[in-house]
Amino acid sequence: MTTMWRPIALFAGLALLASACGGTTRDDVAQQASASAAAPASSAAADPNAPLKAGLKIAFLPKQVNNPYFTIADAGGIEAAKEFGGEGKEVGPSEASASSQVSYINTLIQQKQDAIVISANDPNAVVPALKQAKDAGIKVVSYDSDTAPEGRDLFVNQASAEDLGRTEVQLLAEQIGHKGKIAILSATPNATNQNTWIEFMKDELTKPEYKDMELVKVAYGNDEDQKSFTETQGLLRAYPDLAGIISPTTVGIAAAARYLSDSKFKGKVKLTGLGTPNQLRKFVKDGTIDGFELWSPGDLGYLACYAAAALASGQITGAEGDTFKAGKLGEYTVGAKGEVLLGKPTVFTKDNIDDFDF
């Protein structure tokens, strides 16, 4: 996450707390190590004064449907499409496996969508199909979880990958007094955003102030509620002296909170990560969670939709320095590697969580 920051509507005026999701979404190391090449150059010149085309068809392809995080994000994108007279829709698999999105991409090509907005389950598995989409004149924007650069025109990133990874460690460290064994409950093993955040978490843990903290396990719940619940249970059986868990996935943190809230570990094992206020409010209020963080998922989808429309309308090509307007969020600039950064995340605690409704 590196680019120009613009205030997020829901978060305007809020200060970024030290642990905001900033550590990894692709903007710095490993995550974009897998996707760090520059975005493909376009032969057409950008025309920032071009109007958005009428009737654009923009399809959102999340990692999986019926995931609360993507439901909110894609609703934001569909709202944006309505604002500029386009047509937005959400399609996708019910399970977040590496190749599960490919058949949907092929169908969207047949439907002659103007743009596909995708959160990749695997950075490489979707690339051949996305290349076919691009060859057919369809613009491709990745959001939340990037594809390899050759698979997309732009990547709309939620917050700095480095900030996200490092701040989640910082937040948990404060909660456990910088001492004890910790674990990470991630989504799928191949999720580019999760893996990049985790690399920054590991790097943060090498600093002297964390010398008394030990990462003992990275577990994977595959963004499935029951598996994440079971993985949490397994972590605590294997490490009954665990001090804390970081779960950088909305499905994972909710499942882990549910397990902890009804166990002897409630209040003893600290839990943080990425979640939505409505999803985790009760766990914050009952003491299961002291604090967690997130950006506005609705704004992420909203921005991705406007970025897709700007590409499809010729306002931008995806080159570094291109600028476009994203409705209520204001103006954005395309950064290095074809990345557009939404902005800073916020930490939610019992003191502020009732100020948010998403």
Side-chain angles (χ1 to χ4, degrees):
M1 327 285 186
T2 53
T3 356
M4 168 182 276
W5 176 78
R6 291 294 182 212
I8 302 175
L10 285 171
F11 295 163
L14 287 177
L16 169 66
L17 301 184
S19 57
C21 288
T24 83
T25 90
R26 268 63 132 213
D27 90 289
D28 287 312
V29 162
Q31 140 198 35
Q32 256 38 249
S34 156
S36 83
S42 170
S43 58
D47 180 5
N49 296 316
L52 291 182
K53 292 181 179 179
L56 289 173
K57 296 190 295 182
I58 299 177
F60 281 78
L61 178 53
K63 292 179 182 178
Q64 61 184 143
V65 295
N66 301 320
N67 177 318
Y69 171 84
F70 288 112
T71 298
I72 296 169
D74 296 347
I78 293 169
E79 172 195 342
K82 289 179 180 177
E83 287 182 0
F84 56 72
E87 176 187 337
K89 69 176 182 179
E90 179 193 56
V91 298
S94 57
E95 296 183 359
S97 63
S99 61
S100 59
Q101 295 169 309
V102 172
S103 63
Y104 291 91
I105 296 169
N106 293 334
T107 298
L108 293 173
I109 294 171
Q110 295 171 2
Q111 293 175 347
K112 298 183 179 180
Q113 297 290 310
D114 293 294
I116 296 172
V117 182
I118 180 172
S119 179
N121 279 317
D122 182 284
N124 301 308
V126 293
V127 168
L130 290 176
K131 282 184 175 180
Q132 292 180 17
K134 292 173 68 176
D135 289 344
I138 298 171
K139 301 301 181 182
V140 178
V141 174
S142 59
Y143 74 121
D144 177 73
S145 185
D146 202 5
T147 70
E150 60 269 26
R152 46 79 168 168
D153 298 291
L154 277 182
F155 168 47
V156 175
N157 207 350
Q158 52 269 59
S160 159
E162 182 168 1
D163 287 342
L164 281 168
R166 296 190 190 282
T167 57
E168 288 179 77
V169 170
Q170 292 163 8
L171 183 57
L172 183 61
E174 292 173 3
Q175 295 172 359
I176 65 173
H178 288 76
K179 183 179 297 185
K181 295 177 181 179
I182 68 170
I184 296 170
L185 176 62
S186 187
T188 60
N190 295 320
T192 51
N193 56 346
Q194 304 280 322
N195 289 340
T196 304
W197 296 334
I198 291 169
E199 288 304 309
F200 281 111
M201 291 179 199
K202 291 178 178 178
D203 187 68
E204 180 71 12
L205 286 167
T206 65
K207 294 181 178 179
E209 56 263 45
Y210 308 107
K211 61 182 176 59
D212 294 323
M213 291 173 57
E214 178 188 2
L215 175 61
V216 295
K217 176 79 172 180
V218 177
Y220 299 95
N222 291 344
D223 259 357
E224 296 174 7
D225 176 78
Q226 187 56 48
K227 182 167 176 54
S228 297
F229 184 92
T230 302
E231 288 294 329
T232 305
Q233 184 180 48
L235 283 172
L236 291 166
R237 285 179 176 171
Y239 306 99
D241 56 345
L242 201 65
I245 298 172
I246 298 172
S247 187
T249 155
T250 56
V251 174
I253 193 173
R258 196 172 75 253
Y259 176 80
L260 289 173
S261 67
D262 290 328
S263 77
K264 64 182 180 181
F265 299 104
K266 179 179 178 180
K268 297 177 181 179
V269 176
K270 300 299 183 181
L271 173 65
T272 193
L274 307 180
T276 67
N278 290 353
Q279 173 192 39
L280 299 179
R281 182 174 284 107
K282 66 179 180 180
F283 298 115
V284 170
K285 292 190 172 185
D286 73 10
T288 302
I289 297 175
D290 291 344
F292 66 96
E293 60 190 11
L294 195 68
W295 51 91
S296 166
D299 284 351
L300 183 67
Y302 183 97
L303 174 59
C305 190
Y306 266 98
L311 282 166
S313 301
Q315 290 183 351
I316 60 175
T317 64
E320 183 174 1
D322 282 356
T323 61
F324 66 99
K325 291 183 178 178
K328 64 185 180 183
L329 299 182
E331 185 174 275
Y332 283 81
T333 298
V334 179
K337 306 170 189 174
E339 181 183 55
V340 178
L341 177 65
L342 174 62
K344 305 280 189 176
T346 292
V347 172
F348 303 96
T349 68
K350 63 181 180 181
D351 295 327
N352 70 352
I353 195 165
D354 283 337
D355 295 335
F356 301 90
D357 182 17
F358 68 90

